[in-house]
Amino acid sequence: MYKRKIENFLSLWKSNKNRKPLVIKGCRQCGKTSSVRQFASKHYKHVVYMDFHEQKDLKSLFQGALSVDYLIVAISAALPDARFVPGKTVIIFDEIQDCPQARASLKFFKLDGRFDVICTGSLLGVNGYRSEHQEGAVGSTPVGFEMIVDMYPMDFEEWLWANGIQSPVFDLLRQCFEQETPVPEAIHNRLRQLLLEYIIIGGMPEAVKTFLETRDVNQVISVQRSIIDEYKSDMVKYAAPQDRSRIRECFESIPRQLSRDNKKFTYSVVRKGGRSSEYISSLQWIEDAGIIRRCYNLSITELPLGGNAIQDCFKVYMADTGLFISMLDDGTQSDILQGQLNAYKGAIYENALADILGKMGRKLYYFQKPDSIEIDFIIRYKGTCTPVECKAKTGNAKSLKTLLRHPEKYHVSHAIKLGDYNVGRSDALLTLPFYMAFLLNEI
């Protein structure tokens, strides 16, 4: 079991005397269940675990009364090993989207207060879509009686932990970052290699585990494509029948969308003659499932970024870089490990940065003016609007320089360029090795 950041959150949650039932949502296979079960085994004497996806018969326990006293009797009858001791028992509802009435019961567990409850859900974002379009989805969200937190696949920092990178190395990186001094060559080269591996492996724990145990990229690809197949299966299971084919078409178009010079998501790329009215809800379904992230174009490079986003002009990136690479041609992994990231019109670099920024909890924005300026990402950094470009070593960052030459027009005073080089600065342009992107967390 690898160290995950959710562990710190769970510890803080448990230390809160007024804690509510916790709902951890995230895409399938991102490590929710294993993290919760490991935490529960360390911090509680008794763990009552219920998986509504695998143990479908357990859903019937919630069809009657939802009082805690009744549920204790019903659950203990169904699970003879369950022990309910006030203050020492945690109840885990896994894949709670498959049992909406169990989620409705969280209100009663909060009011009762004797037992902690932790829930996980892979498709909670699309549950409202399912309730609206499908029969059999009952129950209500217990607004005010639960705490919701997002969990993502392993991020780059967690990947470094899994690869044995220790605290002194992180301290040195932060020092070089803050003082704008080069990273020592040996450490620099090691982190460059780990970045390339992360781009093709990504953060799905099973893919990470397979790679670290076998170093066999082909086995990793098999794991990743199995996850992709599971996503497609969810599209059939959870989406309304009339929308299933359109959701899958949207999803399978992502590599084609990112292979274009102008990577703006275009519905006609999904299907010739396709229109927004046909596919907009299908794309939303995939986003709500945590599989993709949208990156919105800005009308102006100025804070607040969300207020200046153009809602119908966006790019779409896979939420996990490894899954994206697995959707490309065989052999792409080998090219990347050899440092050839400029293929696919920069999409590999861009999706990797979208992965890193997105797993930091940042919403994604870019800036593009036809035939003039194109900035890969715009972030709020240290209270300012900051352009961020991910370029190869030979990239000249023409668009960044244009913005910096006209601060009165574009409202930016500094910019960041990430790529295959060490730390450096040229006037208002800070250059950083790509592996330092995870340090851009100050807003």
Side-chain angles (χ1 to χ4, degrees):
M1 178 66 185
Y2 302 111
K3 180 182 176 183
R4 302 298 305 272
K5 293 179 180 178
I6 195 70
E7 295 170 17
N8 292 333
F9 182 89
L10 287 167
S11 295
L12 290 172
W13 168 80
K14 191 175 188 306
S15 68
N16 184 347
K17 293 181 179 179
N18 297 315
R19 58 187 174 273
K20 301 176 182 179
L22 181 64
V23 179
I24 301 175
K25 67 185 183 75
C27 63
R28 283 208 189 278
Q29 302 288 338
C30 71
K32 301 181 297 299
T33 300
S34 56
S35 293
V36 168
R37 297 194 74 171
Q38 182 183 51
F39 175 82
S41 66
K42 288 181 179 179
H43 294 87
Y44 294 89
K45 185 175 182 178
H46 304 289
V47 179
V48 178
Y49 175 76
M50 306 176 71
D51 183 344
F52 297 116
H53 184 68
E54 296 295 333
Q55 300 166 290
K56 302 184 188 303
D57 57 314
L58 294 178
K59 294 188 285 186
S60 64
L61 303 179
F62 297 83
Q63 291 177 357
L66 295 180
S67 69
V68 174
D69 285 336
Y70 169 80
L71 290 175
I72 290 174
V73 173
I75 294 171
S76 60
L79 304 174
D81 293 334
R83 296 291 180 270
F84 291 91
V85 180
K88 297 183 178 181
T89 294
V90 61
I91 304 167
I92 300 174
F93 292 150
D94 204 358
E95 301 293 2
I96 197 171
Q97 78 280 347
D98 282 356
C99 185
Q101 280 296 86
R103 190 172 184 187
S105 75
L106 299 185
K107 173 181 177 179
F108 302 94
F109 278 105
K110 168 57 181 171
L111 293 174
D112 181 88
R114 285 177 288 169
F115 312 105
D116 287 346
V117 183
I118 305 176
C119 312
T120 74
S122 299
L123 294 161
L124 289 172
V126 303
N127 198 40
Y129 183 92
R130 185 186 185 206
S131 297
E132 180 183 355
H133 293 279
Q134 289 184 257
E135 297 179 357
V138 295
S140 60
T141 301
V143 177
F145 295 94
E146 64 179 15
M147 182 177 190
I148 302 175
V149 62
D150 289 308
M151 183 174 176
Y152 307 109
M154 294 173 69
D155 64 22
F156 182 64
E157 190 172 10
E158 291 171 322
W159 163 259
L160 294 180
W161 294 342
N163 278 272
I165 302 302
Q166 301 296 312
S167 294
V169 176
F170 287 99
D171 293 340
L172 175 61
L173 284 181
R174 291 186 178 92
Q175 178 181 326
C176 293
F177 175 72
E178 292 168 1
Q179 298 179 1
E180 298 182 6
T181 56
V183 178
E185 185 174 0
I187 296 175
H188 175 64
N189 289 334
R190 172 64 175 146
L191 292 174
R192 286 174 65 220
Q193 182 61 32
L194 286 173
L195 171 70
L196 297 178
E197 292 174 359
Y198 176 74
I199 289 174
I200 66 171
I201 306 303
M204 291 298 177
E206 187 62 27
V208 174
K209 179 176 182 290
T210 299
F211 179 73
L212 294 181
E213 289 180 353
T214 69
R215 312 299 293 187
D216 186 336
V217 174
N218 288 322
Q219 289 191 44
V220 173
I221 296 171
S222 179
V223 169
Q224 292 166 332
R225 290 178 177 170
S226 177
I227 294 172
I228 293 290
D229 288 340
E230 187 171 356
Y231 287 169
K232 292 178 180 178
S233 176
D234 284 340
M235 295 170 194
V236 172
K237 178 179 179 181
Y238 288 92
Q242 66 271 21
D243 294 322
R244 292 169 184 168
S245 62
R246 289 196 290 266
I247 291 173
R248 185 160 177 164
E249 284 178 320
C250 277
F251 176 65
E252 292 179 342
S253 80
I254 292 172
R256 299 196 304 275
Q257 302 279 356
L258 293 177
S259 70
R260 301 160 61 237
D261 289 319
N262 180 357
K263 297 177 179 63
K264 173 188 172 184
F265 190 89
T266 304
Y267 295 99
S268 61
V269 173
V270 178
R271 180 172 55 81
K272 186 176 181 179
R275 300 186 302 273
S276 171
S277 59
E278 295 177 283
Y279 289 100
I280 190 168
S281 63
S282 301
L283 188 65
Q284 187 67 51
W285 193 100
I286 307 170
E287 183 178 29
D288 289 344
I291 300 171
I292 62 170
R293 290 192 178 92
R294 293 194 217 202
C295 181
Y296 289 95
N297 194 10
L298 298 174
S299 59
I300 185 173
T301 50
E302 187 176 63
L303 300 179
L305 300 179
N308 293 312
I310 305 171
Q311 294 302 311
D312 61 352
C313 185
F314 53 86
K315 302 177 184 179
V316 168
Y317 296 106
M318 287 289 290
D320 183 76
T321 174
L323 294 186
F324 171 61
I325 301 303
S326 77
M327 297 172 72
L328 305 182
D329 295 339
D330 290 341
T332 303
Q333 292 82 359
S334 177
D335 293 340
I336 292 171
L337 289 175
Q338 296 177 50
Q340 300 174 25
L341 279 80
N342 283 329
Y344 225 69
K345 297 181 171 63
I348 292 172
Y349 252 137
E350 289 184 32
N351 205 109
L353 186 52
D355 169 302
I356 293 171
L357 295 176
K359 289 175 182 176
M360 293 164 62
R362 286 187 176 274
K363 294 184 178 179
L364 304 180
Y365 304 97
Y366 73 105
F367 183 63
Q368 185 175 32
K369 294 294 183 183
D371 303 321
S372 59
I373 293 175
E374 182 175 358
I375 304 295
D376 296 328
F377 295 93
I378 304 287
I379 65 173
R380 178 190 177 98
Y381 180 63
K382 293 185 176 181
T384 66
C385 179
T386 305
V388 179
E389 284 268 68
C390 41
K391 294 293 185 185
K393 194 169 184 177
T394 56
N396 59 16
K398 180 180 177 181
S399 292
L400 284 181
K401 293 175 181 178
T402 299
L403 265 62
L404 292 172
R405 282 198 300 267
H406 304 283
E408 72 291 341
K409 180 178 180 181
Y410 296 108
H411 312 283
V412 298
S413 58
H414 61 277
I416 296 170
K417 185 172 71 166
L418 298 163
D420 188 22
Y421 28 71
N422 215 315
V423 182
R425 176 176 285 279
S426 175
D427 299 322
L429 179 60
L430 174 64
T431 59
L432 296 172
F434 201 107
Y435 58 74
M436 275 191 174
F438 77 98
L439 297 177
L440 299 172
N441 54 8
E442 186 175 344
I443 60 174

